[in-house]
Amino acid sequence: MTKVCSSCKEEKPFELFRCLSRSKDGYTGRCKACIGIKDKQYNAVLSDETRNRRKDQIRAWRVKNPEKVNKAGRDYYARNREAELARIKKWREENKDRVSETSRKWREENKEYFYAKVEAWRLQNMERVAAKHREWTKNNPTKVKEGTKKWRSKNPDKVKTMDKRAQVKRVENLTNKYINDLFKKQVGVTSIKVPLGLIEAMRVNLFIKRKLKELSA
């Protein structure tokens, strides 16, 4: 739907007019552009004292009417969603340091709430998180290696426990690494590359020995 601006006489859609509940159609007679021009002209001739007094009045009204302010903001966002998203994105790109510092400060002041929200989101998006982690790990092998090395140096006790558990699993599952290490230990050579065929043969042999031991027990 459209209407004609009483100032520039151009026909424009309703979203280009300000809301005005007391008018018949719910919008101002002049479009936003014309009102903006008039406001700039008026503000240009105001004294600093008058300008500051108007700002104080507006600020005081907003404090007394938070519900009206929030509703007006939501309504405006709903009518201008695409433009607002573009404006917000542009502002964030131009103020990255400010955004980063504000976010960091908020997280510090709301740690429990923040981590609870993050954990809830991760649980609801486990596949997405796993895929993102695999992609990042694949694209950042150096960072992964450095991070792992740093973590292991800071957590020696945890590393020992994890290594013991990993070794138990390797033995139980007769993994290639376990058989490879076992063969090198038996022949007394550490630099040899054990063929996969030999590893598979040793795996079958060890599996048979285990089964025979279980049957004779």
Side-chain angles (χ1 to χ4, degrees), residues 4 25 47 52 72 89 102 106 115 123 137 144 155-156 176 195 211:
V4 177
D25 57 11
S47 64
N52 291 333
K89 182 179 180 180
T102 301
W106 183 89
Y115 287 118
L123 291 174
T137 301
V144 172
N155 300 273
N176 287 3
K211 287 298 181 182

Side-chain angles (χ1 to χ4, degrees), residues 47-58:
S47 64
D48 292 340
E49 182 181 354
T50 302
R51 188 178 291 107
N52 291 333
R53 185 169 63 251
R54 289 189 66 187
K55 287 182 179 180
D56 291 338
Q57 291 173 346
I58 293 172

Side-chain angles (χ1 to χ4, degrees), residues 92 95-115:
R92 290 178 66 87
N95 298 271
K96 290 182 178 180
D97 293 340
R98 184 175 176 183
V99 171
S100 178
E101 178 60 23
T102 301
S103 298
R104 185 197 63 77
K105 186 177 179 180
W106 183 89
R107 289 195 299 270
E108 285 294 322
E109 295 174 351
N110 302 271
K111 283 184 178 181
E112 293 185 3
Y113 174 79
F114 173 73
Y115 287 118

Side-chain angles (χ1 to χ4, degrees), residues 3 5 12-23 25-40 43 54 76 79-80:
K3 68 179 294 182
C5 174
K12 299 180 179 180
F14 277 132
E15 56 262 28
L16 296 183
F17 292 82
R18 291 183 182 179
C19 293
L20 186 62
S21 58
R22 64 174 178 269
S23 66
D25 57 11
Y27 294 90
T28 56
R30 292 180 297 168
C31 66
K32 293 178 181 178
C34 290
I35 292 176
I37 293 173
K38 194 69 175 179
D39 287 347
K40 286 182 180 179
N43 290 330
R54 289 189 66 187
Y76 178 83
R79 294 193 305 271
N80 304 273

Side-chain angles (χ1 to χ4, degrees), residues 71-86:
K71 184 178 183 303
R74 290 194 299 269
D75 292 344
Y76 178 83
Y77 181 84
R79 294 193 305 271
N80 304 273
R81 186 173 183 276
E82 296 300 327
E84 279 297 285
L85 289 175

Side-chain angles (χ1 to χ4, degrees), residues 2-212:
T2 62
K3 68 179 294 182
V4 177
C5 174
S6 61
S7 181
C8 65
K9 308 302 180 183
E10 293 183 11
E11 185 176 358
K12 299 180 179 180
F14 277 132
E15 56 262 28
L16 296 183
F17 292 82
R18 291 183 182 179
C19 293
L20 186 62
S21 58
R22 64 174 178 269
S23 66
K24 290 183 178 180
D25 57 11
Y27 294 90
T28 56
R30 292 180 297 168
C31 66
K32 293 178 181 178
C34 290
I35 292 176
I37 293 173
K38 194 69 175 179
D39 287 347
K40 286 182 180 179
Q41 293 173 348
Y42 177 74
N43 290 330
V45 298
L46 289 177
S47 64
D48 292 340
E49 182 181 354
T50 302
R51 188 178 291 107
N52 291 333
R53 185 169 63 251
R54 289 189 66 187
K55 287 182 179 180
D56 291 338
Q57 291 173 346
I58 293 172
R59 190 179 296 109
W61 183 89
R62 291 177 66 88
V63 171
K64 291 181 179 179
N65 300 272
E67 293 183 1
K68 290 183 178 180
V69 172
N70 291 335
K71 184 178 183 303
R74 290 194 299 269
D75 292 344
Y76 178 83
Y77 181 84
R79 294 193 305 271
N80 304 273
R81 186 173 183 276
E82 296 300 327
E84 279 297 285
L85 289 175
R87 181 186 66 80
I88 293 171
K89 182 179 180 180
K90 181 180 178 181
W91 185 89
R92 290 178 66 87
E93 290 177 350
E94 294 175 349
N95 298 271
K96 290 182 178 180
D97 293 340
R98 184 175 176 183
V99 171
S100 178
E101 178 60 23
T102 301
S103 298
R104 185 197 63 77
K105 186 177 179 180
W106 183 89
R107 289 195 299 270
E108 285 294 322
E109 295 174 351
N110 302 271
K111 283 184 178 181
E112 293 185 3
Y113 174 79
F114 173 73
Y115 287 118
K117 293 286 286 185
V118 170
E119 185 61 22
W121 184 89
R122 289 175 65 87
L123 291 174
Q124 293 176 357
N125 300 269
M126 294 181 67
E127 292 184 2
R128 183 177 175 184
V129 171
K132 196 72 176 177
H133 177 71
R134 287 194 298 270
E135 181 182 357
W136 186 89
T137 301
K138 182 179 178 181
N139 296 331
N140 299 272
T142 303
K143 289 184 178 180
V144 172
K145 187 176 181 180
E146 292 176 353
T148 302
K149 184 178 179 180
K150 185 176 180 180
W151 184 89
R152 290 178 68 90
S153 64
K154 287 184 177 181
N155 300 273
D157 294 336
K158 290 184 179 180
V159 170
K160 288 180 180 179
T161 302
M162 291 173 62
D163 287 346
K164 287 180 180 179
R165 290 176 181 174
Q167 180 61 18
V168 170
K169 287 185 177 181
R170 284 195 290 267
V171 174
E172 290 177 351
N173 299 324
L174 297 176
T175 64
N176 287 3
K177 178 174 176 51
Y178 166 69
I179 296 174
N180 187 68
D181 293 342
L182 180 62
F183 179 82
K184 290 180 179 179
K185 185 178 179 180
Q186 289 177 348
V187 299
V189 180
T190 58
S191 60
I192 188 173
K193 184 177 180 180
V194 184
L196 289 177
L198 181 56
I199 290 176
E200 187 60 34
M202 289 183 66
R203 181 183 290 112
V204 172
N205 184 43
L206 291 170
F207 179 78
I208 293 173
K209 286 182 178 180
R210 284 185 181 181
K211 287 298 181 182
L212 291 173

